Amino acid sequence: MNINIYYGGRGLIDDPTLYVINKMREVLEELRVNVTQYNLYENKNAIPTLPQTLKDADGIILAGTVEWYGIGGYMYQFLDACWLYGDKEKISRLYMCPVVMSTTYGEREGKMQLATAWEVLGGRPCSGICGYIANTLTLEMKQEYTTIIEKKAENLYRTVNQKTPSFPASNQAVKNTVAIAPNVDLTPQESEQLSRYAADDSYVQRQKEDIQELASMFRDMMSEKDGNTQDTYIQRFHQAFKPQPGFAASYVLKLEDREEALVLQVDGSQIECYYGTAEEPDVEMTATPDMIEEVIAGRMSFQSAFMSGAMKMKGNFRVMRMLDSLFVFDK
C-alpha cells in the first residue's frame, strides 16, 4: 500500500501539523505502508506537476495549518493543479484524510474545505483530524492526543485497505453536471514545466546537479574576495560564546551559498566550531549569509530571525531558544 502526504504549511519547527503527520507516518510505516511526504513549500515551483505523483498512491493525506485565515496558499495551488491537470479517473478511486491544525481559529472550516474540494474533484474523503493547538508541547505531553492520532492513522489504513464504500455526495453531482474543467491555454514556460521532462525525477535531479556544479564554479571564482569569511564566522562565534553550566547541545547552521555547514558543539564551558557535518544534531538551521551578518552584528537575535521567517529551523525547539543565551553578539 502507498500513502502520499501533501503538507501545505511553512515547515516551522513548532508547527503542530508536522507533529501530527509524523505520528501518523510512524503508525502507517509500522503497518508496512510505503509513505511518501511532499512538502509543498519546498516544491512550490513544481506544484503543477505534483498531481502526477497521485498515480501510484492508494490513499493520501492533505495536511495544512491555519496560522491566520484558511489553509494557506500552497495547498490551494495544489488543489487547483489537481483540478486542471490531475487524472480524474485516478482521483475518483483515491481516499483522502484531511489533517488541519490551527494556532488561531478556523481548523474545522479548513478541514471541511479540504473534504469538499476533494469531493468536487471526484475523490473519496474519509475521517480526518482537526484541532486548536497553541503550543506543540501540548501534543507531546498528553498521551490521549497521541492515542487519537494513532487511531486516525489506523482508520485510514483500514479504509484504504478494505476500500470502504461511501454514499455519493452532492458535490460530486455538481461536478458531473456543471463543473467541467476548461481547457487551459498554457504559456511556453508552463508547458515546459508540465512536460514529461519536468515530471521525470531523474531529469530534475540532473538539472539540480548541473545547477549546483555551476554555482560551485562561480563560488570558486569569487573565493579570492571572500575566502576569509568562514574563519571570520568561527572567530566571531568563539568570541560571543557565553558558557551555560550543565548545558550541552549541537547546532548545524547551513548557509545557502556554501556547501559545508557551520557546526557548533557546546558542552558546558567548552565549544567546538568548525565546518563539516554532525550526526543527529539537536537543531538544524538554514539562513542566508546576509541574515547571519545581521545576527553577528548584533542587529538581530536568533529568535527574532526565526519568528520573522528569515531563518528556518528544525529540531528541539527548547534547545534552539538557548542560542541567544549561548552567543551574545555586541553591536
Side-chain angles (χ1 to χ4, degrees):
M1 182 187 298
N2 298 315
I3 299 290
N4 289 354
I5 300 175
Y6 298 90
Y7 167 66
R10 294 190 295 143
L12 299 180
I13 194 172
D14 57 345
D15 188 342
T17 303
L18 282 176
Y19 179 86
V20 173
I21 59 179
N22 286 337
K23 281 293 179 184
M24 295 184 72
R25 180 173 189 153
E26 291 175 5
V27 174
L28 292 170
E29 289 178 342
E30 288 177 0
L31 296 170
R32 298 184 179 179
V33 175
N34 296 320
V35 182
T36 305
Q37 181 169 328
Y38 297 92
N39 296 324
L40 301 185
Y41 70 92
E42 294 178 346
N43 297 277
K44 56 186 176 183
N45 294 328
I47 286 178
T49 67
L50 287 181
Q52 301 294 324
T53 62
L54 297 173
K55 292 181 178 180
D56 297 326
D58 299 300
I60 68 169
I61 296 173
L62 295 184
T65 306
V66 180
E67 297 181 279
W68 172 63
Y69 183 81
I71 55 178
Y74 293 138
M75 184 59 70
Y76 282 122
Q77 289 182 48
F78 175 70
L79 292 171
D80 284 345
C82 290
W83 174 252
L84 294 172
Y85 314 118
D87 184 344
K88 302 301 192 299
E89 180 63 27
K90 174 61 179 179
I91 291 176
S92 68
R93 301 191 299 271
L94 276 180
Y95 291 91
M96 185 279 294
C97 174
V99 174
V100 178
M101 308 305 290
S102 170
T103 58
T104 172
Y105 170 82
E107 69 281 355
R108 295 184 183 277
E109 292 79 359
K111 177 185 171 185
M112 184 177 297
Q113 284 178 334
L114 290 179
T116 301
W118 198 247
E119 283 180 339
V120 172
L121 286 167
R124 304 178 181 182
C126 54
S127 177
I129 303 176
C130 68
Y132 166 72
I133 302 295
N135 190 332
T136 307
L137 290 176
T138 305
L139 285 172
E140 299 176 3
M141 299 300 293
K142 292 195 175 183
Q143 180 60 37
E144 55 265 35
Y145 291 165
T146 301
T147 302
I148 293 172
I149 297 169
E150 292 174 346
K151 292 295 184 183
K152 288 293 183 180
E154 293 170 1
N155 289 338
L156 173 62
Y157 173 80
R158 282 193 291 268
T159 299
V160 176
N161 188 49
Q162 299 172 7
K163 300 187 183 302
T164 305
S166 60
F167 283 109
S170 59
N171 293 327
Q172 294 174 339
V174 170
K175 180 187 78 72
N176 293 332
T177 55
V178 299
I180 301 174
N183 293 327
V184 180
D185 295 327
L186 301 176
T187 65
Q189 292 81 6
E190 290 171 333
S191 297
E192 182 181 357
Q193 186 179 34
L194 294 171
S195 68
R196 61 187 178 89
Y197 299 109
D200 185 347
D201 290 340
S202 61
Y203 174 81
V204 173
Q205 184 61 34
R206 288 197 301 272
Q207 295 300 308
K208 290 181 178 179
E209 291 173 356
D210 290 342
I211 292 172
Q212 290 176 353
E213 184 177 352
L214 288 172
S216 178
M217 290 173 59
F218 281 111
R219 281 197 296 269
D220 292 340
M221 293 170 62
M222 299 177 64
S223 61
E224 183 176 350
K225 177 180 178 181
D226 53 7
N228 296 324
T229 303
Q230 293 187 352
D231 293 338
T232 301
Y233 286 164
I234 292 175
Q235 182 180 359
R236 291 301 302 275
F237 273 96
H238 272 288
Q239 292 174 346
F241 179 57
K242 303 295 181 183
Q244 302 294 318
F247 179 79
S250 61
Y251 302 88
V252 171
L253 174 58
K254 298 179 180 178
L255 300 177
E256 294 181 355
D257 67 339
R258 300 188 182 279
E259 294 182 0
E260 291 188 312
L262 179 62
V263 180
L264 305 172
Q265 299 273 9
V266 178
D267 187 0
S269 61
Q270 304 296 319
I271 179 175
E272 291 186 32
C273 188
Y274 59 90
Y275 283 89
T277 59
E279 293 186 1
E280 299 182 357
D282 296 292
V283 176
E284 290 186 15
M285 303 169 285
T286 303
T288 63
D290 291 340
M291 196 285 297
I292 294 300
E293 291 291 343
E294 290 290 306
V295 173
I296 290 177
R299 293 189 291 268
M300 179 182 292
S301 64
F302 285 102
Q303 182 73 11
S304 60
F306 168 68
M307 295 302 293
S308 67
M311 174 184 286
K312 296 179 182 179
M313 299 187 184
K314 63 179 181 179
N316 190 312
F317 186 66
R318 284 170 290 185
V319 174
M320 182 277 290
R321 298 172 74 175
M322 288 293 295
L323 276 169
D324 289 319
S325 299
L326 290 168
F327 302 101
V328 181
F329 295 97
D330 298 328
K331 292 184 178 181

